[in-house]
Amino acid sequence: MKFKKPKQYSLREALKSAEDKRMMKRFFAFMFLISWAIIFWTFYLFGVQILNLHGLNDPRYKATTTLITPLRGNIYDRNRELLVRTVRFYQIDYDRSMLNSFRENDRNKLPEDYRNIANIISANSHLSRQAVLNRLSSPTGQSSIYINDRIKESDIVAIERELKKKNYQSGLRKKYSMQQRVYPKGNIGSRFIGNAIYTSTQEPLSELSQLQGVNGIEEIYDRDLRGVYGWDKMFFDGRRNPIKIPNIGRQAVKNGNSLILTIDYRIQDIVEKNLREGLTLFGAKNSVGIVMNPKTGEILAMSSITSSDQDRSTSEIRVSLNLATTYMFEPGSTLKPFTMLAALEKRLVKTNEIFDCRKYTTEHGRTISDAKEFHDLSARDVIIKSSNVGTVKIADRIGSRSLYDTMISFGFGNRTGSDLYGESAGLLRKLRDWQGYSLHSISFGQEISVTPLQLITAYGALANEGRLMRPYIVSRVIDENHRLIRENSPQRIRTLSNKAALDTLKTIMQDVVEYGTGTATKLSYINIAGKTGTAQKQAAGQVGYSNKYIANFVGFYPAEDPRLVCLVLYDEPSYRYRHASTSATVTFRKITEQILALPDYNIVPKIRLQEQQFVTMPNVTGMRLSRAQNILERNNIKYQIEGVTDPDNIVIINQLPKQGVQIDQEQIVIIVAENPSRMAEEEPAEQVMPSLIGLTLRQAVAEAKKFNLHLVVEGMGVVSYQSIPAGRSIDVGATCRIKANL
C-alpha cells in the first residue's frame, strides 16, 4: 500500500494561510456587529417614527384652539341706571426667565427687579406689595411664578400699562379665571333679580366656566344674558411663543345681551326703605310692596322684605322666594270691591240702598259679624266702612255662579302670565267644589288665596277702565352695542265690566280714602282710591283662624285718571297694628308722597303742592282720649280714632305719624285708643322660649307641652343644651332640639 506524501508548504505559504483565517474571523465578527446594529437601528427608527418616542413627529408650529368665554349681560332700570354687571377675573403669572437680570451673570439686579414689579402690581390691584414680592422671590427653580387668580380686567390693563413703561411687560402671563356678578346699587331688587352662580357641573377655573341664572330674572332670561362662546386658533413655536399667521380659523365671541327693566330705581328705593322702616315699626314678620302702571302693566317697583333678612347674607337673600309673586294669602276686605262690582254690573243693588248690618245668621247656620258693630248702612257705606255683614247680603243677591265668574275674569286662581320667576297661581276652588259657606266667605276675602301680584293686577284693571293688562318687568333686550334685540310691549288680556259700574265703584273707593277705613292715605293735593284689608290667618294645621293677621292696602291715583297703582302688605304685624288702617295705609301714604315728589313725575301740578299748609304733630300717646282730642282740635289737626271709641277709661296707645313730624293740615292722622284692661285681656301675649336647662327629660317634656313645643331629644338625664335660647320669641308648634346628660 502506497502512502501519499503530505504536501509541503513553504513558510511564506503557511503564514499566508494563518492570516486568511484571522481575516475571516474579523469579517464574521464585523458582520455580526453590523447585523445587530442594523436590527437595533431598525427598532429605534420604528420607535421614533411610529411610536414617536421623542415627540419628533409633532409639527414645528403647534396649533392650539382657545375657547373665549362670553361676558354675561348687564341689567338696567328703565332710566339706564346700572343694577347688575359682570366683572371678569384673570389669573396672572410672571415668567422670571424673561428678565435679562435672571441670567447667572446678572443676578444682583434681581431683587430690584422684583421690588419694581411688586410695586406696580400692588399699586394697581387689591394685592399687597409684600405678598407679590414673596412669590416673585420664592427660591423654586421654576421660572414661571403664580401670582393670583382674582385680578379684575380693569386692573390687568393698568398693570400691563405700568409694566410696559419699565420694560417688564414681556414676563407677564394672564389667563381668564372666572366671572362674578356685581351690584352697583347694593341689594335693591335682590329678590326679583335673583342670582347667577357657577353650576355644580362646572369648575370655576375651567375655560368652560360660565355663570348661570338660578332664580329670578337671572334664570328667566338666562338664554339672553349668557351669550355664546367664541374660539381662537393660535400657533406656537418650540419655545411656546405665539406666532401670528394670517387667515387662520376663529369664531368671535358673542357676549350676552343686556336687559332694560320696567323698574324705576328711585321708586324701588323708596318702596324698600319704607317697607324696611314699617317692618320694624309695626313688628311684622314679612312685608311686600308693588308699584305698577295700570295702563301698561309695567312694574315700577317690587319688593319683599322679611324680618330675618338682617341675619342673612346677600347671596342668601338673592336666592330667597320673591313673596310678591309666591306668597299666597287670604286678602280679606280688599276683595270686597270685586263683589260690589259684580252687583253693580247686574244692577242688583243701588248705592243708596240700606242694609241692616247687625249680626247676621245665614241659612246654613253661620253667624257673620263685623269688628265694629254697624246698624243701617247704605250699599256705598258697606264698602267704605268695610262691613262683612253688608257684603254677605249683597253676595246673596249675586249668587255663586256670578261671583265665581267675576273672580275668574279678574285673574284670581290663575297666574297673571308675567315674566317673573316662580309665580304662584293662588287658590280659587272650582265652582262645583264650593261648600255652603263659600259664597259668603269669598265675598269678603276668605276661602280664597291670592298673591300680591294677582291682587295689584286686578286693581289695575279697576283703575284702567276694566282693561286687565299682563304685568311685566323686562322692557327691552339689547345687545352689547345697545342695539334692540327684542321688546316687550303692553298686552291686554281682556276687558271687564262696563264703564258705568266701574265709575261708580271708583267713587266708592275714593270715599274709602276720604272718610272710610283708608283715611290715613288721604292727601289734599291728589285724589286716591283704594281699599283696606285686614284678614285673620288660618291656624296652621287646624280648622279655623289664628290670632295672627295680614294687613294690606291697595290704591291708585289720581282717581280720575289713574297712572299708578300701589300695594302694601304686612304679614303678622303686632296685635295693635293688625288693622290695615294703622299700618299698611301709613306706609302707602309715605311711598305715595315720596313718589309724587320726584322731579320728573308730573302727576300733580306743582301749584297744588305749593298750596299745602303744614303743622307739627304733637305727642298724644298715653293721654286720655278726651284730652288728646282737645289738643288735636286746638292745632286744627284732623284725626281718626281706631280701636275703642267709648270714652270711659280710654287712653291713646299709639299715634301715626309720630311726634314732631310735619304734616299737611288736610291730612287725617290716626290715633289708636284702647281700654288698658281690655287690651291686656284681648292682646295675645308674645310666646317666648322657656328655659329647659337643668330640668329632667320628664320635666322638660311637661314644660314644652305648655307652649306646644315639639322636642327632639338626644341623650338621657338632665337637659344641658337647647337649640332655641330661652327668652326668644317662638311660634306655636316650634321644634327645639335638646341634649341631656346623666
Side-chain angles (χ1 to χ4, degrees):
M1 184 175 188
K2 295 182 179 180
F3 292 94
K4 190 175 182 180
K5 187 177 180 179
K7 186 177 180 180
Q8 298 293 321
Y9 294 94
S10 65
L11 179 59
R12 184 185 298 272
E13 290 175 339
L15 290 173
K16 184 177 180 181
S17 176
E19 184 66 24
D20 289 341
K21 289 180 180 180
R22 286 196 296 272
M23 288 296 291
M24 290 300 294
K25 288 181 180 180
R26 291 194 189 102
F27 174 75
F28 285 117
F30 175 75
M31 291 301 296
F32 178 79
L33 293 175
I34 288 295
S35 299
W36 275 108
I38 291 172
I39 293 170
F40 173 78
W41 189 248
T42 300
F43 279 103
Y44 177 74
L45 290 178
F46 177 83
V48 170
Q49 295 186 20
I50 305 302
L51 302 181
N52 195 22
L53 292 176
H54 304 298
L56 298 178
N57 286 348
D58 292 345
R60 182 172 181 182
Y61 301 127
K62 189 172 183 179
T64 301
T65 300
T66 304
L67 285 175
I68 307 172
T69 305
L71 192 67
R72 192 171 180 84
N74 299 329
I75 300 177
Y76 302 90
D77 86 335
R78 65 187 302 114
N79 300 312
R80 297 295 181 99
E81 288 282 348
L82 187 60
L83 301 179
V84 188
R85 67 185 179 94
T86 303
V87 175
R88 277 196 184 106
F89 289 91
Y90 287 83
Q91 175 181 319
I92 61 171
D93 303 333
Y94 199 87
D95 189 352
R96 298 183 297 188
S97 67
M98 301 307 293
L99 294 171
N100 292 330
S101 55
F102 190 77
R103 298 173 183 172
E104 293 294 332
N105 60 351
D106 217 2
R107 294 190 68 84
N108 291 332
K109 291 185 178 180
L110 279 176
E112 181 182 352
D113 289 334
Y114 295 159
R115 285 194 297 272
N116 291 337
I117 295 170
N119 287 338
I120 291 172
I121 294 176
S122 64
N124 295 281
S125 70
H126 67 282
L127 302 178
S128 68
R129 175 183 177 278
Q130 192 59 45
V132 178
L133 186 60
N134 289 342
R135 289 194 174 276
L136 290 171
S137 305
S138 60
T140 177
Q142 296 179 348
S143 62
S144 184
I145 300 298
Y146 165 82
I147 304 297
N148 193 269
D149 63 0
R150 292 294 186 273
I151 305 298
K152 293 180 181 178
E153 190 171 20
S154 56
D155 294 343
I156 287 285
V157 174
I159 291 170
E160 288 179 326
R161 182 179 64 248
E162 295 303 317
L163 288 177
K164 188 174 183 179
K165 292 179 181 178
K166 301 288 186 179
N167 292 322
Y168 291 128
Q169 77 279 8
S170 59
L172 185 69
R173 301 286 182 266
K174 66 178 181 180
K175 184 176 78 170
Y176 169 78
S177 172
M178 65 175 294
Q179 296 181 14
Q180 182 175 317
R181 294 297 248 176
V182 296
Y183 307 93
K185 302 297 184 183
N187 283 340
I188 288 290
S190 56
R191 277 184 165 85
F192 69 75
I193 288 174
N195 202 9
I197 61 174
Y198 288 102
T199 60
S200 59
T201 57
Q202 296 173 329
E203 293 294 331
L205 297 182
S206 166
E207 289 181 341
L208 286 173
S209 301
Q210 191 175 19
L211 291 170
Q212 180 174 335
V214 292
N215 64 328
I217 292 173
E218 293 275 18
E219 179 172 343
I220 294 293
Y221 287 87
D222 187 61
R223 286 180 175 272
D224 290 298
L225 291 166
R226 68 167 58 180
V228 180
Y229 281 99
W231 55 269
D232 200 355
K233 183 175 285 188
M234 294 288 294
F235 284 87
F236 297 88
D237 62 16
R239 296 176 179 268
R240 298 294 298 168
N241 294 319
I243 300 171
K244 294 182 179 180
I245 299 178
N247 300 323
I248 62 172
R250 70 185 305 271
Q251 173 66 52
V253 64
K254 184 180 183 300
N255 289 326
N257 296 323
S258 295
L259 307 178
I260 299 178
L261 306 183
T262 60
I263 294 292
D264 189 319
Y265 158 70
R266 299 166 302 170
I267 298 180
Q268 181 72 28
D269 190 41
I270 288 171
V271 171
E272 292 198 8
K273 285 180 178 177
N274 282 283
L275 286 182
R276 197 171 288 112
E277 178 184 312
L279 198 72
T280 302
L281 177 63
F282 305 125
K285 181 180 179 182
N286 305 305
S287 61
V288 177
I290 308 175
V291 179
M292 180 188 289
N293 182 341
K295 297 181 183 297
T296 62
E298 294 173 290
I299 297 171
L300 303 177
M302 173 179 283
S303 177
S304 53
I305 300 172
T306 71
S307 57
S308 61
D309 282 355
Q310 59 186 355
D311 300 322
R312 306 165 74 187
S313 67
T314 299
S315 58
E316 286 178 318
I317 294 174
R318 291 193 178 279
V319 297
S320 300
L321 291 175
N322 180 10
L323 299 181
T325 60
T326 61
Y327 182 55
M328 298 192 299
F329 66 101
E330 289 190 350
S333 297
T334 45
L335 214 67
K336 290 175 181 175
F338 301 98
T339 302
M340 175 60 79
L341 182 63
L344 291 173
E345 277 183 323
K346 298 182 180 299
R347 299 181 180 180
L348 299 174
V349 297
K350 295 180 179 180
T351 56
N352 59 356
E353 183 179 352
I354 301 301
F355 288 85
D356 182 357
C357 293
R358 289 171 294 182
K359 281 186 180 181
Y360 171 63
T361 302
T362 68
E363 61 181 11
H364 295 95
R366 181 184 182 185
T367 300
I368 308 293
S369 61
D370 291 311
K372 296 179 181 179
E373 186 174 344
F374 300 112
H375 292 278
D376 292 339
L377 292 178
S378 67
R380 188 183 200 89
D381 284 336
V382 165
I383 301 301
I384 294 169
K385 302 296 184 183
S386 199
S387 169
N388 292 342
V389 176
T391 304
V392 163
K393 291 187 175 182
I394 292 173
D396 280 334
R397 297 187 184 183
I398 298 170
S400 298
R401 165 57 68 181
S402 293
L403 185 62
Y404 176 78
D405 290 342
T406 298
M407 297 302 174
I408 286 292
S409 65
F410 276 94
F412 298 118
N414 293 285
R415 294 181 179 87
T416 64
S418 73
D419 55 348
L420 287 155
Y421 176 81
E423 184 186 347
S424 301
L427 179 61
L428 175 61
R429 289 185 297 172
K430 299 292 185 182
L431 183 60
R432 62 175 178 269
D433 297 324
W434 283 25
Q435 307 293 326
Y437 298 154
S438 297
L439 171 64
H440 299 141
S441 296
I442 292 172
S443 70
F444 58 83
Q446 291 184 352
E447 207 176 306
I448 178 176
S449 293
V450 304
T451 66
L453 182 62
Q454 280 180 331
L455 190 58
I456 194 173
T457 301
Y459 267 78
L462 297 180
N464 191 31
E465 298 182 346
R467 290 186 286 268
L468 184 68
M469 306 300 291
R470 180 185 70 88
Y472 64 103
I473 200 168
V474 174
S475 174
R476 281 165 287 169
V477 180
I478 58 175
D479 66 13
E480 58 182 317
N481 297 315
H482 295 271
R483 291 189 297 258
L484 181 65
I485 301 298
R486 190 170 68 256
E487 184 172 13
N488 290 331
S489 56
Q491 181 180 344
R492 184 171 62 185
I493 299 173
R494 66 181 72 92
T495 300
L496 308 164
S497 191
N498 58 69
K499 190 177 187 303
L502 286 167
D503 287 347
T504 301
L505 183 63
K506 276 186 185 179
T507 61
I508 295 174
M509 293 173 70
Q510 278 185 259
D511 289 340
V512 170
V513 174
E514 285 294 322
Y515 62 89
T517 57
T519 52
T521 65
K522 182 180 178 181
L523 295 171
S524 61
Y525 50 85
I526 191 171
N527 294 323
I528 298 173
K531 185 69 185 76
T532 55
T534 302
Q536 278 185 283
K537 297 183 70 173
Q538 284 190 320
Q542 302 176 24
V543 177
Y545 288 85
S546 67
N547 55 16
K548 298 177 181 178
Y549 292 81
I550 292 176
N552 64 102
F553 180 84
V554 192
F556 48 84
Y557 49 86
E560 53 273 14
D561 183 23
R563 293 176 55 184
L564 294 178
V565 56
C566 177
L567 173 147
V568 175
L569 178 149
Y570 286 109
D571 177 27
E572 296 184 19
S574 61
Y575 189 75
R576 65 178 58 179
Y577 297 114
R578 65 193 183 278
H579 296 296
S581 57
T582 60
S583 53
T585 54
V586 176
T587 301
F588 179 96
R589 178 192 172 93
K590 290 181 179 179
I591 291 172
T592 299
E593 287 179 316
Q594 293 170 30
I595 291 175
L596 296 178
L598 292 174
D600 56 344
Y601 268 79
N602 302 317
I603 297 176
V604 181
K606 292 183 179 179
I607 188 170
R608 294 183 66 184
L609 290 172
Q610 293 170 355
E611 291 173 354
Q612 291 178 268
Q613 295 182 359
F614 295 94
V615 293
T616 303
M617 181 67 186
N619 182 24
V620 296
T621 304
M623 296 181 183
R624 296 279 181 178
L625 178 60
S626 57
R627 184 185 173 196
Q629 288 175 313
N630 289 334
I631 292 175
L632 294 172
E633 289 169 0
R634 194 165 56 243
N635 286 277
N636 295 319
I637 295 175
K638 299 177 181 179
Y639 61 90
Q640 176 179 318
I641 302 172
E642 291 289 338
V644 179
T645 55
D646 182 0
D648 295 335
N649 196 29
I650 299 302
V651 297
I652 307 304
I653 62 173
N654 196 26
Q655 64 180 58
L656 300 167
K658 297 297 184 182
Q659 178 186 10
V661 175
Q662 291 287 317
I663 60 173
D664 179 11
Q665 201 168 36
E666 295 299 317
Q667 177 179 346
I668 298 177
V669 302
I670 303 295
I671 57 173
V672 184
E674 190 59 88
N675 184 317
S677 58
R678 185 189 298 182
M679 182 176 64
E681 294 173 1
E682 292 184 354
E683 182 167 356
E686 183 181 34
Q687 183 163 295
V688 296
M689 181 68 194
S691 175
L692 304 179
I693 295 176
L695 302 180
T696 64
L697 285 181
R698 179 170 295 184
Q699 291 171 330
V701 170
E703 186 71 12
K705 285 183 178 179
K706 298 177 183 178
F707 295 85
N708 291 321
L709 280 171
H710 175 62
L711 293 184
V712 177
V713 180
E714 296 181 14
M716 297 179 63
V718 177
V719 177
S720 59
Y721 167 81
Q722 61 186 66
S723 60
I724 303 177
R728 177 174 293 181
S729 298
I730 55 174
D731 295 326
V732 176
T735 299
C736 179
R737 185 167 55 88
I738 62 173
K739 292 182 180 179
N741 299 313
L742 293 173

